[in-house]
Amino acid sequence: MEMLTIGAFAKACRLSPKALRLYDELELLRPARVDPDTGYRYYATEQLEQARLVAWLRRLGMPLARIRTVCALEPGPAAREIRAYWAGVEAETAARRDLAAFLVDHFTHTSEEDTPMLELRYAALSDTGLVRAANQDTAYAGTRVLAVADGFGPGGAPASTAAVEALKILDRDTLPAGSVLNLLEDAVRGATEAVRDIAATGDDGTTLTAMLWTGSQLALVHIGDSRAYLLRGGELFRITHDHTVVQSMIDEGRLTPEEATTHPQPALLLKALTIDETISTPDLRLHDAHPGDRYLLCSDGLSSVVPDPAIQRTLSSIADPGSAVRALVTEANEAGGPDNVSCVVADVVAVDVADEVADEVRKEAAKR
């Protein structure tokens, strides 16, 4: 067995001697031999492959504990583990990108004359469907808050209601001072506590997909398998990621999207608002609003039976939000209505300031 000094081995695998000593201490990459007198480390040439793998994974930014897991796996499972890690990195990067965009916008001074005034026009509808005996969904649309929650378990209905009610504190004319994401995070913490107060058992809980309108942006909170979509320029984009076992298997390459449609447990959740704190951490993101944007929030009672192209056609062809939510619920019921179905549709529209002032004058005159 050919041996290399730690210096020669470090040069060959592009890891520093300092890193090799650390990996030895962590039992991630042990030397083949250690001189009993000098303590000098020697490595076998056969260890180069593993050392290079460690170096590559470190360049990806993978934590050492996860690298140890990958190194212990066969090639197939190792590839799936790396794919799953990178999916998480991309999701985190997207959230950080949104935060960076918010900060750039926050510190970029633009005059109010150059920025159109925007407002939301919205509608919400929840329906029991054709199979379920009761409706455990809650849908809400207000001046600032849009929300859909899909309860589950014996206490699912009060859980979904409690989660949405806790967010309504933000549905006011003026938001409290502070970062909008921090405000939303605090409200969601209140929603989580409200669900825990109501949940009778660990089987009770709710999904939650909600948005907070600031006047120029929408802050999104999401946990579970309800969804948020954005229709922009005629194209439909799903802006949430399902927290389900099936979606995780797709992310890891163990299922194709086509195979996922026939999975026996498509709604098995990995994350939701429950009494279990370990699975109650939601995703938080910011979205810049553009005039003409249309947002859809829906429970899986719609998305599981009405394909995205059909949703896109309905959202693109029906201008009025109220008519759009009624049409979407009808489509879900025509597809069998196997579950409760809830929808919120909200349009971002540019407001004519002169018309707004005239409306206010008329309202004041009517009060006299």
Side-chain angles (χ1 to χ4, degrees):
M1 180 171 58
E2 184 180 353
M3 304 293 287
L4 298 174
T5 65
I6 188 172
F9 189 77
K11 186 176 181 179
C13 67
R14 298 188 178 183
L15 287 170
S16 68
K18 181 178 179 180
L20 288 172
R21 286 190 288 271
L22 173 62
Y23 300 158
D24 178 13
E25 293 171 6
L26 297 175
E27 299 183 357
L28 177 62
L29 186 62
R30 305 302 300 269
R33 186 172 70 84
V34 178
D35 189 291
D37 297 321
T38 65
Y40 207 71
R41 296 169 173 84
Y42 294 87
Y43 293 82
T45 54
E46 289 81 359
Q47 293 180 279
L48 282 172
E49 183 176 354
Q50 182 180 4
R52 287 167 182 152
L53 174 59
V54 171
W56 290 332
L57 294 176
R58 287 299 289 159
R59 288 183 65 186
L60 282 179
M62 184 177 287
L64 291 175
R66 197 156 183 174
I67 290 176
R68 183 183 292 108
T69 299
V70 171
C71 290
L73 295 173
E74 294 296 322
R80 288 194 291 271
E81 181 70 15
I82 294 169
R83 187 181 294 113
Y85 166 75
W86 192 247
V89 170
E90 290 182 325
E92 181 183 354
T93 301
R96 293 171 64 192
R97 181 188 62 233
D98 289 341
L99 179 57
F102 164 74
L103 292 172
V104 170
D105 182 70
H106 178 72
F107 290 109
T108 300
H109 301 289
T110 57
S111 67
E112 292 186 0
E113 291 76 15
D114 295 334
T115 305
M117 288 187 62
L118 303 175
E119 70 175 19
L120 290 184
R121 293 177 185 167
Y122 47 79
L125 183 62
S126 185
D127 187 82
T128 305
L130 303 181
V131 175
R132 298 293 177 89
N135 192 352
Q136 293 188 307
D137 284 5
T138 300
Y140 174 79
T143 305
R144 291 194 178 277
V145 174
L146 314 170
V148 166
D150 181 355
F152 54 85
S160 69
T161 300
V164 173
E165 286 294 326
L167 295 185
K168 288 185 182 180
I169 191 173
L170 298 174
D171 206 5
R172 55 182 67 169
D173 291 336
T174 303
L175 289 173
S179 161
V180 64
L181 282 180
N182 288 342
L183 293 174
L184 186 57
E185 188 172 20
D186 289 343
V188 172
R189 192 174 296 114
T192 305
E193 292 172 358
V195 170
R196 289 173 185 162
D197 288 342
I198 286 174
T201 70
D203 294 330
D204 294 336
T206 185
T207 71
L208 178 65
T209 300
M211 304 189 91
L212 174 63
W213 171 242
T214 70
S216 61
Q217 293 180 312
L218 283 156
L220 169 70
V221 58
H222 167 70
I223 186 167
D225 62 352
S226 295
R227 290 182 177 179
Y229 292 88
L230 167 63
L231 184 74
R232 175 177 288 174
E235 295 294 323
L236 186 69
F237 305 93
R238 176 151 61 102
I239 57 175
T240 53
H241 197 71
D242 292 348
H243 298 139
T244 60
V245 170
V246 166
Q247 184 62 57
S248 71
M249 293 174 72
I250 294 173
D251 295 340
E252 295 167 6
R254 290 189 284 161
L255 276 182
T256 66
E258 294 74 23
E259 291 169 340
T261 60
T262 60
H263 193 276
Q265 293 181 300
L268 190 60
L269 295 173
L270 289 175
K271 294 172 68 174
L273 298 185
T274 72
I275 61 174
D276 185 350
E277 295 184 8
T278 64
I279 63 170
S280 295
T281 304
D283 299 336
L284 290 166
R285 296 182 63 182
L286 274 171
H287 286 267
D288 290 323
H290 297 176
D293 283 351
R294 168 167 276 191
Y295 287 88
L296 166 67
L297 277 59
C298 66
S299 62
D300 67 333
L302 176 73
S303 58
S304 64
V305 295
V306 180
D308 286 2
I311 293 175
Q312 179 179 2
R313 285 193 297 271
T314 299
L315 292 176
S316 300
S317 61
I318 301 177
D320 174 61
S323 300
V325 294
R326 288 191 293 272
L328 290 168
V329 169
T330 297
E331 288 182 54
N333 286 331
E334 288 177 347
D339 197 357
N340 308 146
V341 56
S342 295
C343 302
V344 171
V345 170
D347 294 336
V348 179
V349 297
V351 181
D352 189 312
V353 178
D355 288 346
E356 287 289 296
V357 172
D359 287 343
E360 290 299 320
V361 170
R362 283 193 292 270
K363 290 177 183 177
E364 289 299 319
K367 293 177 182 178
R368 298 190 183 101

